[in-house]
Amino acid sequence: MMFQVLIALAAGCASALMFASIVSGALIALLLFYLAPLPLMVAALGWGVVAAAIGGLIAAAGLAALVSFPYAIAFLLTIAVPACWLGHLALLARPADAPQGDAAPLEWYPIGRLVVWMAGFAATTTMAALFSLGTDGAAIADGLRSGLQRALGPRSTPGSDAALIDALAAIAPPAAATVAMLTLTLNLWLAAKITAASNRLGRPWPDLRTVTLPPLTLAVLSLALALSFVGGLTSMFGKTISAALFVAYGLTGAATLHTVTMAARNRLFLLSSAYALMLIFLWPAVGLIVLGLGDAFLNLRQRYFQRRSMPPPPSH
């Protein structure tokens, strides 16, 4: 128990320092800020959600005392709660159906549902941040424009870059949701890798090529896209949710890409080239989203295994 408390203390302090580093304004601080959930996720996956929750509360208390109470609340909502809940879900399991007399294997919480939870957290935390600028669409948009005007610096005069600022303000909410979704995914993956390397991961490593999203996700995405054209605050909600879910389908698109290239002779070159293009130009990532949506509609991975007379692995 004492060791668990020490782990919680270390994880909480590390997470709080990484979260608070953004105040310095240094470029490295931005990376540390995005990795702030990592220590708590490692604690959750390796030592249990109680250790992560204690660490999160310790971190929030320290931030409230040293920075401000609103800063501590922001840490709890955007870092501690997602880290603890995702770590808890990742370790959930139940006995699977087994022939009579055989020991029942464990059925672990599906990774696809974890991805949907991450999309929900990304959209929720983004909207919560936007509400700090105002309570309606016009006020939030004005707040975004004012912040962007300041960010452009003294070389920009009010009204001179109005079109650019309006465009950036329009894409800011979905862009923030996209970044939040990607960083949550990266943090959970890194935490699982760290705990697996130290033999502390309490579940077997899943086959990520089989990750599928729940069928209802398509309906939610369709509704969010429809809301994006309504206008005002509703449109911001729709765009934010759509962006997070598009990233989720991009992840299943990556799983599909890894599956349909299994028999390719130059598979390593194809995959590395695809990811390099995405990192350099960004827009090729749309191809992964299209591939993920295509798999959701057409069962591309299942058809691949059927065409090769191979039994598909269990989906996650």
Side-chain angles (χ1 to χ4, degrees):
M1 182 61 184
M2 181 57 68
F3 185 69
Q4 195 175 27
V5 172
L6 290 175
I7 290 294
L9 180 62
C13 290
S15 188
L17 287 172
M18 294 165 79
F19 184 76
S21 67
I22 195 68
V23 177
S24 69
L27 187 59
I28 188 65
L30 186 62
L31 175 63
L32 293 175
F33 175 79
Y34 283 130
L35 291 176
L38 182 59
L40 294 178
M41 286 183 176
V42 170
L45 293 176
W47 286 268
V49 69
V50 174
I54 293 172
L57 292 173
I58 291 172
L63 289 172
L66 298 175
V67 185
S68 68
F69 185 73
Y71 208 74
I73 295 298
F75 173 84
L76 282 175
L77 293 178
T78 61
I79 304 296
V81 171
C84 293
W85 185 245
L86 292 173
H88 166 68
L89 292 179
L91 298 180
L92 277 184
R94 65 182 181 185
D97 295 333
Q100 192 172 6
D102 292 350
L106 289 177
E107 180 183 350
W108 296 93
Y109 194 80
I111 301 300
R113 293 190 181 185
L114 269 178
V115 173
V116 172
W117 271 105
M118 286 189 284
F121 277 125
T124 303
T125 54
T126 299
M127 287 308 303
L130 291 176
F131 278 131
S132 67
L133 301 174
T135 55
D136 59 78
I140 292 172
D142 288 341
L144 287 172
R145 281 192 287 266
S146 298
L148 290 167
Q149 185 73 53
R150 289 193 300 271
L152 288 176
R155 282 180 285 183
S156 175
T157 58
S160 63
D161 298 312
L164 173 62
I165 290 173
D166 287 343
L168 291 176
I171 66 172
T178 299
V179 172
M181 177 65 179
L182 289 172
T183 53
L184 266 180
T185 305
L186 176 64
N187 277 297
L188 187 60
W189 182 81
L190 282 175
K193 281 292 185 182
I194 292 169
T195 49
S198 58
N199 294 320
R200 295 290 311 184
L201 186 61
R203 63 170 291 166
W205 190 265
D207 185 352
L208 297 178
R209 293 173 303 176
T210 65
V211 172
T212 55
L213 302 181
L216 188 61
T217 311
L218 272 176
V220 176
L221 176 59
S222 300
L223 177 61
L225 285 173
L227 293 176
S228 300
F229 296 95
V230 173
L233 188 60
T234 304
S235 178
M236 284 187 184
F237 270 113
K239 291 175 182 178
T240 302
I241 296 169
S242 298
L245 290 179
F246 275 136
V247 176
Y249 277 106
L251 295 175
T252 60
T256 305
L257 180 64
H258 278 259
T259 298
V260 299
T261 58
M262 285 173 58
R265 182 172 298 180
N266 299 317
R267 182 171 185 262
L268 181 60
F269 173 76
L270 290 173
L271 291 175
S272 58
S273 298
Y275 288 121
L277 286 172
M278 279 181 259
L279 286 173
I280 296 170
F281 299 108
L282 296 181
W283 63 262
V286 174
L288 280 188
I289 297 172
V290 172
L291 193 57
L293 290 170
D295 180 69
F297 280 107
L298 303 174
N299 294 320
L300 299 178
R301 282 175 284 182
Q302 187 175 1
R303 293 187 180 200
Y304 173 85
F305 287 114
Q306 288 175 349
R307 204 164 49 242
R308 295 185 170 273
S309 301
M310 298 166 58
S315 59
H316 294 284

